[in-house]
Amino acid sequence: MLKRHTFFQAFSIVALITLFSKLLGFIREAIIAAYFGTSIAADMFYVALIIPSTAFTIIASTIQGRVLPLYIEKKESTAGGRKLLQSFSQLFIFVSIILIGLLVVTMPILVNVMAPGFEENEISKTIRLALIMLPLLLMMTITAITRVVYHAHESFGIPAYGPLLNNIVVITIIILLYTFSGVYALALGVLIGGLIQLMYQSLFLPDKKVIFFSWDRKNFKQSLELIKPMIPIIIAAIALQLNVIVDRMVASFLEQGSIAALNYSYRLLWIPLSILLMPITTIFYPKLSIAHQEKVKDTYKKLFNNGFFVILLFAVPIMIIMLIESESLVRLIFERGAFDYEATILTKGALFFYSLGLIFFATREYFAQHFYITKQYRVIMFGSIYGVLINIVGSIILAQIIGINGIAFATSLSMLFQSFYYYRYISNKGKIFMGGTTLKTCIAFAVILIITFFTQTLYDELHYFFSILITTLIVITLFYLIMKKDIGLAIKQMKGK
C-alpha cells in the first residue's frame, strides 16, 4: 500500500531527494565538462540527445496532461483504473516503438537539419550517438507511465529516487568507459541509466499489471478516442520542442562549443528549478485535479493561489543569486579539466540571460497545469505557438548581435510572454488574484537586486565559492526581512494549517 503524504511532507521528501539527485547531477555535469569542456564532442552528444528527448517530451506531455487526470478519476475502482492505464500503456508503447523505427530511418536527415553547421565527420558521429540512445524513448515512456500511478496515489518518494539512481549509473559508466569509448561513454551511460531507473520504478509499483498487458484492439481504439482531445497539447509540445531544436540549429553556426555552453547553462538553470520549484508543481497537480473533480470552487481557487504564492517566494531569491553570481556558479561547477576560462565566459553569459526568465520557467509550467486540469487545451496550444514564434525570431535576430546570449535571452522572453498570457487568462476567469503579493514580491526583487549588485563589488575579489556564499546570505536575509509575514503564511499553508 502506497503511503499518502501531506503537502509539507511530500514537498520535504521530494525536495530532499531531488537535492541529492541534483548534487549528483552537479557531479555528472562537472565530469562531462571536465572531460569534454565546450568541445565539438560535447556539441555532438547534446545534439544527439535532443532527438530521443524531443520525441519523449511530446509523449510525456500527453501522459501528464491527459492520463494522470483520467487515472485519478478512475483509480478508486481498481479494475477501472487498471484497464485505463493498460489501454494507454498499450498505445504509448506502440507509438514509441513506431517512432524509434521512423527515427532510425530518418536519422541522417534529422541530424543534418538540426546541426547544419557541423562537418561531415561530425554528422556521422552524431548519428551514431543518437542511434545508441534511441531506446531511451521507449524506456522513458514506460517510466512516465509508472510515475502516473505513484503521483495519482500521492506517493512521491519512490519516483523521486529514480533520477538519483539514474545519475549514479551515468556517472559510473562515464568514469569506467571514457578511456575506452570517449564521447560514446556518455551515450552508453545515459542509456543504461534510463534502463536502471525504469527497472527500479517498475519494481515497487502496487499494481504491475498496469504496464503489462495483452494486445487488445478494442482498448487500443478506446485510448485513441481518449487522446483526441489532447491534440492541441501535442501541438503545444511540438512547438516547445521546436524551441530547443531551433536554438541548437542557430548555435551550430556560432563558435565551436556554443551548443555545449547552451546546454551547460540550461542544465544549471534547472538545478534550482528542479530542487525547489518543480516539486511544488509536481505535488500540487494531483491535489488540484482532485479539488477540481470534487467541484469545490473555493478549495481549488485557494489551493491554486497557494501554489502560485509559494513559487514566487522561492523563485525570487534564487533568481537574484543566479543573476549576480552567474560567473561564479559556472566556475564552481564546471571550470576544471577541459573546461577552461574561455568556456566559463561563454557559458556564464548564456546562464545570465536564462536566469532573467527563471521565475517565468516555473510559473509557465504551473499555470499550464490549470488548463490541463480544466481541459482547456487550446489555451496551452496557442500560448506555446506564440511563445515558439517569439523564441525563433528572437534567437535568429539576437544571436547575430550577442551570440549564444541572444539565444538564451530569446528563450527567457518566450517564457515571460507565455506566463503572462496564461496569467491574464486565469485572472480573467477569477481563478487567481494575487495582485498585492505579486506587487510586494516585485518590489522586494528590485530592492534586493540593486542592493546586492552594489554590495557584491565589495567582495568580488574573493574566491568564487565565498562570493556565492556571501551573496546567498545577503539575499536570503533581505528577502526574509521584507517578506517575513508572507513566508510565515506560506509555511502554515504548506503544513495545512
Side-chain angles (χ1 to χ4, degrees), residues 112-385:
N112 275 283
V113 169
M114 293 174 65
F118 278 11
E119 301 292 338
E120 187 176 342
N121 66 317
E122 295 161 359
I123 291 287
S124 298
K125 288 182 180 179
T126 305
I127 290 171
R128 288 196 289 272
L129 288 167
L131 290 173
I132 290 171
M133 293 186 284
L134 263 188
L136 266 178
L137 174 56
L138 178 60
M139 296 175 195
M140 291 190 293
T141 297
I142 302 174
T143 301
I145 294 169
T146 67
R147 195 179 301 118
V148 165
V149 179
Y150 291 116
H151 287 180
H153 289 273
E154 298 186 40
S155 179
F156 303 97
I158 293 174
Y161 276 114
L164 188 150
L165 189 60
N166 190 323
N167 277 327
I168 293 173
V169 174
V170 172
I171 290 168
T172 304
I173 296 296
I174 291 172
I175 292 172
L176 291 177
L177 299 184
Y178 170 73
T179 304
F180 309 101
S181 307
V183 71
Y184 295 104
L186 295 178
L188 291 170
V190 170
L191 180 68
I192 297 171
L195 176 61
I196 297 299
Q197 181 178 351
L198 169 60
M199 293 170 63
Y200 161 74
Q201 289 189 203
S202 301
L203 184 64
F204 295 100
L205 274 180
D207 184 2
K208 295 180 177 59
K209 292 182 180 180
V210 297
I211 56 172
F212 296 103
F213 54 84
S214 57
W215 178 262
D216 189 320
R217 188 174 179 182
K218 183 179 178 181
N219 284 348
F220 186 80
K221 288 183 176 180
Q222 180 187 20
S223 57
L224 280 176
E225 289 297 319
L226 290 171
I227 287 296
K228 280 183 180 179
M230 283 293 292
I231 290 176
I233 292 301
I234 295 171
I235 294 172
I238 293 171
L240 286 174
Q241 289 309 299
L242 279 175
N243 282 332
V244 179
I245 293 170
V246 171
D247 286 355
R248 273 41 177 188
M249 287 174 65
V250 175
S252 73
F253 287 107
L254 302 176
E255 62 183 296
Q256 180 178 305
S258 293
I259 295 174
L262 275 176
N263 187 81
Y264 291 137
S265 57
Y266 194 71
R267 292 289 183 91
L268 189 49
L269 173 79
W270 272 93
I271 288 171
L273 284 172
S274 299
I275 293 173
L276 293 175
L277 301 178
M278 288 303 110
I280 296 171
T281 59
T282 298
I283 295 161
F284 265 99
Y285 187 55
K287 293 180 181 293
L288 286 167
S289 293
I290 293 169
H292 179 72
Q293 287 161 21
E294 291 176 349
K295 301 188 185 301
V296 183
K297 184 178 179 181
D298 291 339
T299 300
Y300 180 87
K301 184 176 180 179
K302 181 180 178 182
L303 192 60
F304 189 88
N305 286 345
N306 288 350
F308 177 56
F309 181 36
V310 171
I311 285 174
L312 285 180
L313 293 180
F314 276 115
V316 168
I318 294 171
M319 185 173 173
I320 295 171
I321 293 166
M322 296 194 74
L323 287 171
I324 298 295
E325 296 291 347
S326 55
E327 181 176 338
S328 295
L329 287 166
V330 173
R331 294 186 68 187
L332 176 66
I333 298 168
F334 297 126
E335 196 178 280
R336 57 188 59 84
F339 198 101
D340 55 19
Y341 186 67
E342 288 185 7
T344 293
I345 296 302
L346 189 63
T347 304
K348 72 102 174 181
L351 177 61
F352 177 85
F353 283 97
Y354 274 137
S355 298
L356 287 173
L358 183 145
I359 192 170
F360 305 114
F361 279 90
T363 53
R364 186 262 169 211
E365 184 74 18
Y366 184 69
F367 292 158
Q369 291 186 347
H370 166 75
F371 301 110
Y372 285 131
I373 292 166
T374 57
K375 298 180 174 63
Q376 300 177 77
Y377 305 127
R378 289 174 65 86
V379 178
I380 301 177
M381 180 182 72
F382 285 117
S384 298
I385 291 173

Side-chain angles (χ1 to χ4, degrees), residues 14 52 74-75 174 237 276 316 420 447 453 464 492:
V14 175
K74 299 280 188 180
K75 71 181 174 70
I174 291 172
L276 293 175
V316 168
F420 276 96
V447 170
F453 175 78
Y464 47 80
K492 287 183 180 180

